[in-house]
Amino acid sequence: MPVQRRTRLLRSVLAVSCATALLTAGAPASAAPGAPPGKVPEQVGHLGAVSSIDADASQIGIDVLRRGGNAVDAAVATAAALGVTDPFSAGIGGGGFFVFYEARTGKVHTIDGRETAPGTADENLFVENGKAIPFAEAVTSGLSVGTPGTPATWLDALRKWGTLPLAKAMKPAEDLARHGFTVDKTFHDQIANNAARFSAFPATRELYLPGGAPPVVGSRFANPDLAKTYRELARTGNAALYRGRIGEDVVRTVQQPPVDPAAGLKVRPGKLSGEDLAKYRTVDREPTHTEYRGLDVYGMPAPSSGGLTVGEALNILEGTDLSQLGKTQYLHRFLESTRLSFADRNRWIGDPAFVDVPSAELLSQEFADSRACLIDPAQALVSPVAPGDPRDPQPCAAGDTPAPTPYEGENTTHLTAADRWGNVVAYTLTIEQEGGSGMVVPGRGFLLNNELTDFSMVPVTPGVPDPNLPAAGKRPRSSMAPTIVLKDGKPLLAAGSPGGASIITTVLQVLTGRLDRDLSLVEAIAEPRASQRNSDNAQVEQAFLNQPETARLRALGQEFASAPGEIGASTAVELLPDGRWLAAAEPVRRGGGSARVVLPVPHP
């Protein structure tokens, strides 16, 4: 068939398909009770998929796919929209990690868009008078702000693998910021949770506390300053941030925090400079790779600990057929695997430009087996357990010095996207705490991150080298774990989650639930969460405590503490055996997520 005729035929088919999609979108699944329109936890169909926490953002990604864009285009457009509708978790003032499966080559690529410390930083960045400053004061300060990497990630991803220029990818989000969206309960509550510190900064107060209170649920919220910022970023190809006027405003905000003196809030200045912005570069890194049950699991390498820690935990579990265990023993093994892998994470993982990270050794089956044999089916280990030595693994040998897990901010967002050609993106991005540093850049409409509090303020264990102390230009360790799983070289599923250090345990729980326990993807996402991070008590949701297995786990020595909130509003996509895409999102947490496909079809 001639190329022109084939092209016309394809366009005709797509036109019919997309028209059908417009008529049937949302039909195959129902939203959680009380969820806004578009908050659908599962959809199945053709021509691509997008899953995020927000209905407007997912729809923008789907529209990009519908117009012929690929998964990278859709991921960037969705991420830009989340900067509008989910600004307390992510945005252009932060950073993240981008994992991409390229169908044309069958390879997995990554972009490290993590923030960097200023050129003046050293290991005493958060130390005064020989002691770490109070954590809350470190968060709401200029000291905590790292050089943003998110805009650079978008531009680099589009240049490498996308089909759209940055301006076209960002335009739907620019329009969304200008015209506004409907405020939901999560948006309202996140402002209410931070009202005290938001009110201390006039620009933040004016944007998010109009009239002194958060916007009412159901009202319309627009951010015209962010719309203008997006337009300027897109027009200049990010030069306005990294070498121009937006960057000047960022530096001024960090070095002279615009705090209201009447607020009585101590806000330390930072030293982020224009030179730091101009020097910023993303980093292309080889993904982590773990073989699990005959599948290939790819993730993000250091300075993220996500791929290495998830990979080690999977290797620890490899020797046990989880599908044959009762739920109590499955959960016991799951909890023990993350207890051990977090001990190793804490001791060995940091920015590889500054510390020697034994990545290959951490992911070796020999090392995992040396750790797995410490697991007793009849008795839980006692935390904090000591790390092993991946360079010299000794069977069942426990180290001498425990490796506890420091606190890490929990507000992040994750999106997944796939297209008709088989390309897949798993992208996790963040500004760290809920609301980041609390500082909106005046006139620019976006919050700055507090990502540098992911560094250890002081060595976690006195006398033991800490790979995660601050340094000039260093990237703080992260737990973000965007993950892509291949079967016979083709995509099987992609997943990720928000949640700080609990990202790792959530992703592992979703993977084992889907791959080992025969749960559907949305069932695995909805499971009650438990997060054991080498602590005395695993953090758990109330639904986990309500399970009959919890009492049996306690009899094995597992200890639990209620999490302060929900753990991990995950999103994922799966390629079904018949070639259809399944998009899955959180059914309940954060009001439910939004899973969308281009051309929905009924799914039993």
Side-chain angles (χ1 to χ4, degrees):
M1 180 184 295
V3 173
Q4 288 182 332
R5 183 181 172 193
R6 190 164 60 241
T7 302
R8 288 195 299 270
L9 178 60
L10 176 60
R11 287 175 176 168
S12 297
V13 170
L14 289 179
V16 173
S17 298
C18 292
T20 306
L22 289 169
L23 292 172
T24 61
S30 58
K39 288 274 191 172
V40 178
E42 182 183 78
Q43 253 188 8
V44 174
H46 302 283
L47 303 179
V50 174
S51 185
S52 81
I53 195 62
D54 180 72
D56 289 307
S58 291
Q59 188 59 52
I60 280 174
I62 287 295
D63 290 342
V64 167
L65 294 177
R66 196 168 280 160
R67 291 192 296 267
N70 69 12
V72 173
D73 304 323
V76 171
T78 302
L82 288 169
V84 179
T85 60
D86 193 17
F88 315 114
S89 299
I92 57 173
F97 296 103
F98 192 101
V99 180
F100 171 58
Y101 169 80
E102 186 178 23
R104 181 179 62 84
T105 63
K107 292 183 178 180
V108 177
H109 309 271
T110 78
I111 296 177
D112 171 357
R114 185 66 158 157
E115 301 87 342
T116 55
T120 57
D122 60 23
E123 64 180 18
N124 294 314
L125 177 65
F126 294 109
V127 175
E128 290 180 359
N129 302 317
K131 295 183 179 180
I133 65 177
F135 186 79
E137 293 183 15
V139 167
T140 308
S141 75
L143 288 175
S144 68
V145 181
T147 307
T150 290
T153 301
W154 295 351
L155 184 60
D156 289 351
L158 290 170
R159 283 175 171 172
K160 293 173 191 294
W161 311 300
T163 70
L164 298 180
L166 182 65
K168 283 192 175 180
M170 292 184 67
K171 187 61 166 64
E174 177 194 330
D175 293 341
L176 182 64
R178 180 172 293 108
H179 300 300
F181 59 93
T182 302
V183 172
D184 63 12
K185 186 175 185 299
T186 298
F187 189 90
H188 171 276
D189 290 352
Q190 288 180 315
I191 297 173
N193 293 343
N194 289 278
R197 67 188 188 118
F198 280 8
S199 65
F201 299 100
T204 312
R205 182 174 63 216
E206 181 180 349
L207 180 59
Y208 293 123
L209 292 163
V216 175
V217 174
S219 65
R220 199 80 179 163
F221 181 87
N223 189 341
D225 284 345
L226 182 59
K228 290 185 290 186
T229 299
Y230 272 11
R231 186 173 185 178
E232 190 170 347
L233 273 178
R235 181 181 58 81
T236 63
N238 282 341
L241 172 62
Y242 293 105
R243 295 182 301 280
R245 294 183 301 173
I246 297 174
E248 291 171 359
D249 292 341
V250 168
V251 168
R252 187 179 305 110
T253 303
V254 171
Q255 295 186 0
Q256 304 169 40
V259 61
D260 184 345
L265 192 65
K266 185 175 184 179
V267 182
R268 294 168 175 82
K271 295 184 178 181
L272 183 75
S273 69
E275 185 178 1
D276 295 319
L277 290 171
K279 284 183 175 179
Y280 185 83
R281 299 292 186 274
T282 64
V283 182
D284 299 339
R285 301 190 187 276
E286 283 295 314
T288 62
H289 174 230
T290 306
E291 293 183 3
Y292 184 69
R293 317 284 192 215
L295 304 171
D296 294 292
V297 182
Y298 291 91
M300 198 67 215
S304 176
S305 63
L308 291 169
T309 310
V310 169
E312 181 187 341
L314 287 172
N315 287 337
I316 288 171
L317 296 169
E318 178 84 39
T320 302
D321 187 349
L322 301 181
S323 68
Q324 297 302 307
L325 297 179
K327 190 172 183 179
T328 299
Q329 269 301 312
Y330 156 67
L331 290 170
H332 177 64
R333 302 276 182 156
F334 160 71
L335 293 166
E336 296 297 89
S337 72
T338 58
R339 189 195 306 269
L340 290 164
S341 58
F342 261 89
D344 301 325
R345 163 203 188 264
N346 300 339
R347 171 64 184 86
W348 299 108
I349 302 176
D351 185 340
F354 291 79
V355 295
D356 184 11
V357 181
S359 299
E361 293 88 346
L362 284 167
L363 289 179
S364 74
Q365 193 61 51
E366 180 186 9
F367 179 60
D369 291 344
S370 76
R371 304 295 275 158
C373 66
L374 292 168
I375 298 177
D376 182 347
Q379 182 63 47
L381 292 162
V382 177
S383 286
V385 300
D389 185 348
R391 295 187 177 93
D392 184 25
Q394 301 296 317
C396 305
D400 298 324
T401 307
T405 302
Y407 176 76
E408 184 176 326
E410 298 180 352
N411 282 81
T412 309
T413 197
H414 178 81
L415 66 94
T416 42
D419 62 34
R420 69 191 66 155
W421 300 282
N423 301 301
V424 180
V425 172
Y427 182 23
T428 313
L429 58 161
T430 184
I431 59 170
E432 183 57 10
Q433 295 286 120
E434 183 177 81
S437 66
M439 298 187 295
V440 165
V441 180
R444 297 298 183 179
F446 66 92
L447 285 155
L448 291 173
N449 70 83
N450 66 291
E451 213 64 59
L452 301 188
T453 57
D454 266 358
F455 284 123
S456 303
M457 292 188 180
V458 295
V460 173
T461 305
V464 176
D466 190 322
N468 193 40
L469 291 172
K474 190 174 182 180
R475 297 169 189 240
R477 182 173 61 204
S478 169
S479 294
M480 289 182 273
T483 303
I484 294 178
V485 182
L486 305 184
K487 181 178 182 180
D488 300 326
K490 302 295 183 183
L492 176 62
L493 62 87
S497 177
S502 71
I503 291 172
I504 291 168
T505 56
T506 295
V507 170
L508 182 68
Q509 193 173 0
V510 170
L511 291 177
T512 55
R514 179 71 191 101
L515 302 177
D516 292 299
R517 303 296 291 176
D518 200 30
L519 299 177
S520 71
L521 194 52
V522 75
E523 287 172 341
I525 288 171
E527 275 287 280
R529 295 266 194 269
S531 183
Q532 172 51 262
R533 308 192 294 271
N534 199 21
S535 303
D536 292 340
N537 302 307
Q539 280 194 334
V540 297
E541 295 176 324
Q542 185 59 46
F544 188 92
L545 294 174
N546 294 342
Q547 296 180 124
E549 290 81 11
T550 301
R552 299 166 197 156
L553 288 166
R554 283 185 166 134
L556 297 176
Q558 299 286 356
E559 298 293 339
F560 305 111
S562 294
E566 300 164 335
I567 300 177
S570 186
T571 73
V573 298
E574 180 176 350
L575 183 59
L576 300 178
D578 61 7
R580 293 177 301 161
W581 286 107
L582 182 149
E586 171 58 47
V588 176
R589 297 176 182 94
R590 291 196 57 188
S594 180
R596 310 284 288 181
V597 295
V598 175
L599 178 59
V601 296
H603 181 56

